[in-house]
Amino acid sequence: MPWWWIPALIMGVTVVRLTWGSISNWFSSNKKVDTAYGEIVRQKLTDGNYTVVTNVFSNSGQKTASRTWEAGEIDSTLSSKLGNRNVIRIDI
């Protein structure tokens, strides 16, 4: 691993644009046999950036995976899916 990755891993990485494809791929790679649904939580920050949290839940309601994304903007497909809501549940 290059030395310059270490600060990025410690601090987290902000992406310029978060896409529906990235989130969809993450859900696909974290789906298990007993997965019931996924959840997307969006929060717009005071600096204009977004924090987006993706969660996967089992049939028993246990959170089995989670990821936090920080982005300067979100693409039109993701924005359309969220609409004016900050939390949505999706079938995966």
Side-chain angles (χ1 to χ4, degrees), residues 31-46:
K31 183 177 181 178
K32 297 184 174 45
V33 173
D34 70 337
T35 295
Y37 63 92
E39 175 184 72
I40 303 171
V41 181
R42 168 183 60 185
Q43 179 182 17
K44 186 158 186 170
L45 305 174
T46 56

Side-chain angles (χ1 to χ4, degrees), residues 2-85:
W3 67 268
W4 49 268
W5 281 17
I6 295 170
L9 292 173
I10 293 170
M11 295 172 47
V13 176
T14 300
V15 295
V16 174
R17 181 178 219 190
L18 182 58
T19 66
W20 169 250
S22 297
I23 288 179
S24 180
N25 288 340
W26 182 85
F27 276 125
S28 294
S29 67
N30 286 281
K31 183 177 181 178
K32 297 184 174 45
V33 173
D34 70 337
T35 295
Y37 63 92
E39 175 184 72
I40 303 171
V41 181
R42 168 183 60 185
Q43 179 182 17
K44 186 158 186 170
L45 305 174
T46 56
D47 65 3
N49 289 335
Y50 293 90
T51 297
V52 177
V53 179
T54 51
N55 299 305
V56 175
F57 291 90
S58 68
N59 291 323
S60 64
Q62 293 278 47
K63 187 186 304 182
T64 59
S66 183
R67 177 165 180 186
T68 300
W69 313 72
E70 303 229 358
E73 62 184 59
I74 56 176
D75 78 347
S76 60
T77 304
L78 178 56
S79 183
S80 175
K81 289 185 180 297
L82 285 159
N84 62 356
R85 298 162 296 182

